[in-house]
Amino acid sequence: MKRIAVLTSGGDAPGMNAAIRAVVRKAISEGIEVYGINHGYAGMVAGDIFPLTSASVGDKIGRGGTFLYSARYPEFAQVEGQLAGIEQLKKFGIEGVVVIGGDGSYHGAMRLTEHGFPAVGLPGTIDNDIVGTDFTIGFDTAVSTVVDALDKIRDTSSSHNRTFVVEVMGRNAGDIALNAGIAAGADDICIPEKEFKFENVVNNINKGYEKGKNHHIIVLAEGVMTGEEFATKLKEAGYKGDLRVSVLGHIQRGGSPTARDRVLASRMGARAVELLRDGIGGVAVGIRNEELVESPILGTAEEGALFSLTTEGGIKVNNPHKAGLELYR
Ligand code: F6P
């Protein structure tokens, strides 16, 4: 391949810039030209595509967000959108594309591959909910951000003998809650992957105060319910003490990436270019047991593919992600 493109799609994640930088610098070192696509698949369809140089990615490795902008673009689920995107890429002489994003972004990459256009997916999301990888780009930074916030909440919680419900991101996955909760010494962690009873949480809180604790921090993954709903149910289950809800929100998506995310993004970005250089598309890069791995995006579960098509034309996730629970068994 002589010319490739890179885009970021879905919710942004710290380390996306580091991944773009790695794609650009590795490609240039391989004699491949790189184009940037602004605003994800929306920009692809609109032809918002421009050349990137080594200098374009200078001073970007430590920056949060994505300088290529990101967007959620459900229209790309339609064949017309996919074909229009490919037409634009061809107009610019682009022969392969690196897609950095979450599972919605992978679906787009899968469709490009189905139409015979080589695409390589890199997992970029704070949620850590992508199949085919132990860790996603941005997760480590988000966990650090949440730990920092929990430490601060613990200060005020202890000063007032208050119970806090801290709602953290993770639409369907409890990885941020689980990891940050453990790192910050939370008293309860509630995630969508594990059932719990409100009565038990109430007992746990009461027991803690009886033992002389001066705070109680509950980390709640948003995939369970909102912090406000949780607080209401806690009261319904008999909790009578002082209670506050704190929703950390989008601060979890911002900030300078940690060293771990920068290294992960750099390794994955370089691997994506090697794959396209060797004419390989339709795969996603992941990291398992610290080794970079590739999985076919679409195929059968036996082939190790991340997604299969159902007989009704839907998409089935093979080996669905199960939060980081195995890590702590
Ligand atoms: O990036 C993933 C995620 O952070 C989810 O955890 C969260 O539910 C969602 O994005 C929020 O997305 P938006 O910024 O589009 O509201």
Side-chain angles (χ1 to χ4, degrees):
M1 274 181 207
K2 284 277 144 257
R3 188 176 288 172
I4 63 170
V6 55
L7 65 81
T8 48
S9 156
D12 64 345
M16 280 184 161
N17 280 327
I20 300 165
R21 172 184 175 275
V23 169
V24 172
R25 295 262 165 99
K26 175 69 177 172
I28 290 170
S29 78
E30 294 284 342
I32 300 170
E33 291 177 342
V34 196
Y35 278 58
I37 303 174
N38 279 328
H39 304 288
Y41 291 107
M44 181 190 285
V45 172
D48 192 353
I49 300 171
F50 63 100
L52 289 168
T53 64
S54 190
S56 319
V57 291
D59 198 18
K60 293 283 190 286
I61 195 165
R63 303 274 169 120
T66 160
F67 81 94
L68 289 180
Y69 308 99
S70 195
R72 300 193 194 277
Y73 188 63
E75 292 85 340
F76 206 73
Q78 308 302 319
V79 180
E80 301 75 47
Q82 297 153 15
L83 296 178
I86 291 174
E87 207 178 299
Q88 290 286 7
L89 293 172
K90 289 192 172 156
K91 219 194 278 176
F92 284 86
I94 292 162
E95 298 164 279
V97 63
V98 180
V99 172
I100 308 165
D103 57 355
S105 318
Y106 275 27
H107 291 175
M110 186 181 83
R111 296 301 179 196
L112 291 173
T113 306
E114 272 187 307
H115 295 301
F117 197 92
V120 174
L122 298 187
T125 166
I126 64 164
D127 288 354
N128 208 41
D129 60 350
I130 305 289
V131 283
T133 189
D134 292 341
F135 296 105
T136 56
I137 297 165
F139 170 65
D140 188 61
T141 309
V143 169
S144 292
T145 302
V146 174
V147 170
D148 189 47
L150 290 173
D151 287 347
K152 289 176 174 143
I153 286 171
R154 183 198 286 253
D155 290 343
T156 175
S157 172
S158 304
S159 307
H160 290 267
N161 289 80
R162 250 177 201 161
T163 297
F164 266 84
V165 177
V166 185
E167 181 194 311
V168 304
M169 279 188 173
R171 207 185 328 222
N172 304 307
D175 292 58
I176 294 176
L178 189 60
N179 285 267
I182 287 170
D187 301 284
D188 282 295
I189 302 170
C190 297
I191 58 173
E193 294 86 349
K194 196 158 171 44
E195 280 184 22
F196 65 93
K197 289 199 170 69
F198 280 95
E199 291 74 22
N200 293 346
V201 181
V202 173
N203 284 341
N204 202 20
I205 302 172
N206 291 339
K207 260 199 260 154
Y209 287 124
E210 276 159 31
K211 275 197 293 189
K213 286 191 79 155
N214 57 7
H215 65 268
H216 193 98
I217 310 276
I218 302 163
V219 181
L220 169 72
E222 65 175 350
V224 176
M225 63 184 70
T226 68
E228 287 300 338
E229 283 164 357
F230 190 94
T232 304
K233 288 192 186 287
L234 214 52
K235 287 180 198 155
E236 283 168 7
Y239 180 63
K240 299 214 172 10
D242 206 355
L243 182 64
R244 290 289 186 279
V245 175
S246 182
V247 181
L248 298 189
H250 285 78
I251 61 159
Q252 295 164 92
R253 288 234 298 252
S256 176
T258 58
R260 200 178 158 82
D261 271 332
R262 295 181 200 196
V263 172
L264 182 65
S266 301
R267 290 178 72 191
M268 288 182 162
R271 176 60 66 87
V273 173
E274 285 167 0
L275 290 164
L276 289 177
R277 176 199 65 196
D278 298 343
I280 300 168
V283 296
V285 178
I287 187 158
R288 291 206 204 112
N289 303 321
E290 298 303 321
E291 296 283 333
L292 289 185
V293 291
E294 294 94 45
S295 315
I297 300 180
L298 184 65
T300 64
E302 293 71 40
E303 290 162 347
L306 305 183
F307 304 100
S308 299
L309 289 181
T310 63
T311 38
E312 298 81 42
I315 294 168
K316 175 175 160 291
V317 183
N318 296 324
N319 302 314
H321 172 88
K322 285 200 246 58
L325 287 175
E326 291 92 353
L327 294 174
Y328 303 107
R329 283 236 161 88

